């Protein structure tokens, strides 16, 4: 899907990627946009107008400079294709907002790498990991602020199938947040619920993030975390997640391979936390 493409989806429609590859190649200022097909003014901020993009055992795919808005689940990934040597999905410079349920839903072994992404104001979670799978998020905003009464980030390596009375437990071989913002209106915006057992890996690495949580965790995988500080966003109501130079986000990140922000601005050394660099 080439830069500048506008995609309108009818009620209950989805883009279904089954055992195949999807590459969405937007550019800065010429993004690919996914939205509902009701173009009247009163529908411009109505969530749940269509389902979203569904990856089912997909081969390695990419999303770059894309806006996904007003659906049910922006990006839903179910399982990984056994032929993949890389992530199921690599997503960069992308905005997902106002989904009725999930911004990104990783289920049953799918693997996602995300850089310079802003995922905000979704009905249930910005990111949900259920029954395992891998995630590597760098310089991303994972934000509540919508109507959800659930944390912005929910992570679990198991799923209880009540219909057959069994619990399926899987590994999280890579669970990484680096230079990310996890915050919102709730007192706690991250929830982790895992089962540890023989043969199941749980490898978390959370480094140089700003996280809002009622409980401040001391687990070794939390490194250089800024807890419960207001990021001083410019205007949450209008989705303006730039911030004041006085913000704790400023220059408290760690240098990585992400050398520009979502707007193409160069990263400083040390960089700001989140998808946006304020120079």
């Amino acid at each position: 899907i080439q830069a500048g493409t506008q995609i309108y989806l009818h009620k209950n429609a989805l883009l279904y990627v089954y055992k195949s590859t999807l590459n969405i190649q937007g550019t800065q200022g010429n993004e690919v946009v996914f939205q509902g097909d009701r173009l009247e003014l009163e529908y411009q901020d109505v969530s749940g107008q269509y389902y979203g993009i569904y990856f089912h055992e997909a081969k390695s795919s990419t999303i770059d400079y894309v806006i996904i808005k007003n659906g049910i689940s922006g990006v839903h990934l179910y399982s990984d294709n056994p032929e993949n040597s890389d992530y199921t999905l690599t997503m960069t410079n992308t905005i997902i907002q106002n989904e009725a349920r999930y911004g990104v839903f990783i289920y049953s072994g799918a693997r996602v790498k995300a850089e310079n992404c802003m995922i905000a104001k979704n009905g249930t979670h910005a990111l949900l990991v259920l029954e395992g799978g891998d995630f590597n998020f760098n310089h991303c905003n994972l934000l509540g602020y919508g109507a959800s009464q659930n944390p912005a980030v929910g992570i679990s390596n198991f799923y209880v199938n009540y219909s057959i009375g069994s619990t399926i437990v899987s590994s999280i071989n890579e669970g990484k947040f680096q230079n990310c913002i996890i915050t919102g209106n709730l007192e706690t915006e991250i929830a982790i619920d895992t089962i540890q057992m023989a043969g199941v890996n749980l490898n978390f690495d959370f480094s140089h993030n700003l996280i809002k949580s009622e409980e401040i965790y001391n687990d070794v995988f939390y490194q250089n975390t800024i807890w419960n500080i207001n990021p001083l966003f410019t205007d949450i109501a209008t989705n303006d997640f730039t911030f004041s130079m006085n913000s704790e986000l400023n220059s408290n990140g760690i240098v990585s391979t992400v050398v520009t922000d979502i707007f193409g601005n160069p990263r400083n050394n040390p960089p700001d936390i989140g998808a946006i660099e304020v120079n």
Side-chain angles (χ1 to χ4, degrees), residues 120-178:
K121 295 186 177 180
N122 299 292
T124 309
H125 301 288
L127 170 66
L128 175 63
V129 180
L130 185 63
E131 199 197 305
D134 294 353
F135 58 93
N136 182 335
F137 282 66
N138 191 6
H139 283 295
C140 291
N141 295 5
L142 299 161
L143 310 177
Y145 297 126
S148 175
Q149 295 304 303
N150 298 286
V153 172
I155 299 168
S156 178
N157 71 326
F158 67 92
Y159 173 69
V160 180
N161 189 328
Y162 292 101
S163 63
I164 60 175
S166 67
T167 300
I168 304 167
V169 184
S170 298
S171 293
I172 299 175
N173 293 305
E174 182 184 37
K176 186 172 184 177
F177 293 125
Q178 181 175 277

Side-chain angles (χ1 to χ4, degrees), residues 48-218:
Q49 295 184 50
Y50 61 97
Y51 190 77
I53 307 174
Y54 192 107
F55 294 88
H56 185 176
E57 297 180 28
K59 296 182 180 180
S60 294
S61 298
T62 60
I63 290 176
D64 190 27
Y65 283 109
V66 178
I67 298 171
I68 305 170
K69 60 182 181 179
N70 302 338
I72 295 174
S73 293
V75 175
H76 184 159
L77 300 103
Y78 176 34
S79 192
D80 189 36
N81 192 296
E83 296 181 9
N84 289 343
S85 58
D86 202 350
Y87 294 94
T88 316
L89 175 66
T90 299
M91 184 170 66
T92 49
N93 306 305
T94 289
I95 297 172
I96 303 175
Q97 63 189 29
N98 200 38
E99 304 296 316
R101 298 189 70 187
Y102 314 111
V104 176
F105 183 6
I106 302 171
Y107 179 64
S108 190
R111 297 180 292 152
V112 174
K113 183 176 183 178
E115 297 175 344
N116 282 344
C117 293
M118 296 198 294
I119 307 170
K121 295 186 177 180
N122 299 292
T124 309
H125 301 288
L127 170 66
L128 175 63
V129 180
L130 185 63
E131 199 197 305
D134 294 353
F135 58 93
N136 182 335
F137 282 66
N138 191 6
H139 283 295
C140 291
N141 295 5
L142 299 161
L143 310 177
Y145 297 126
S148 175
Q149 295 304 303
N150 298 286
V153 172
I155 299 168
S156 178
N157 71 326
F158 67 92
Y159 173 69
V160 180
N161 189 328
Y162 292 101
S163 63
I164 60 175
S166 67
T167 300
I168 304 167
V169 184
S170 298
S171 293
I172 299 175
N173 293 305
E174 182 184 37
K176 186 172 184 177
F177 293 125
Q178 181 175 277
N179 299 315
C180 290
I181 309 168
I182 302 173
T183 191
N185 290 328
L186 304 182
E187 293 300 316
T188 295
E189 291 289 359
I190 185 168
I192 301 175
D193 187 11
T194 57
I195 293 175
Q196 300 186 41
M197 56 189 295
V200 171
N201 295 320
L202 293 172
N203 293 320
F204 294 123
D205 178 8
F206 300 171
S207 173
H208 293 80
N209 305 297
L210 185 150
I211 299 175
K212 187 176 183 183
S213 174
E214 216 166 6
E215 180 177 354
I216 295 176
Y217 296 97
N218 295 313

